Amino acid sequence: MVVHGGFFYTLERTTTTKCIFRCRNRDCKARCHTSLSMDSFLSEPTVHSHAPDPECIPAFELKSQIKIKAMASNEASSSILHSELRLMPLTAVGSL
């Protein structure tokens, strides 16, 4: 998944030279292309048919951190959740 400008993109497909992402909102036709390593845009995102949702970014980052920590350690899931939720700003809790 890629986050850019308050919009979320999911991987649609890959080719031998690039990754093609589409907007997470399936009613929107916006797309972007990145390098295979996903470190740079080959094609900037196209226009969206909806407003960005930057309030969801902290929740997305929290979920990603929890998944990464769960795969990399033998720590109990309750411990991982507690340690990661402590770091989340209170203003972002509503987006969970």
Side-chain angles (χ1 to χ4, degrees):
M1 188 172 279
V2 172
V3 179
H4 180 70
F7 295 102
F8 291 83
Y9 299 87
T10 56
L11 183 64
E12 183 176 35
R13 66 180 187 271
T14 58
T15 68
T16 57
T17 58
K18 62 186 173 183
C19 296
I20 301 168
F21 289 87
R22 69 173 290 158
C23 182
R24 181 174 73 172
N25 178 344
R26 295 300 182 204
D27 295 331
C28 180
K29 304 290 186 204
R31 301 271 194 291
C32 66
H33 300 189
T34 68
S35 62
L36 289 173
S37 59
M38 294 191 291
D39 60 353
S40 63
F41 284 106
L42 301 177
S43 168
E44 286 293 316
T46 56
V47 178
H48 290 264
S49 61
H50 58 94
D53 195 5
E55 294 170 358
C56 289
I57 293 173
F60 169 75
E61 290 172 346
L62 172 70
K63 291 174 190 176
S64 296
Q65 288 301 318
I66 290 171
K67 289 177 185 177
I68 290 167
K69 206 169 193 179
M71 288 189 304
S73 73
N74 291 328
E75 195 174 348
S77 57
S78 60
S79 174
I80 293 171
L81 285 170
H82 178 70
S83 65
E84 292 300 320
L85 284 172
R86 283 183 337 157
L87 304 174
M88 187 165 188
L90 291 176
T91 56
V93 172
S95 63
L96 288 176

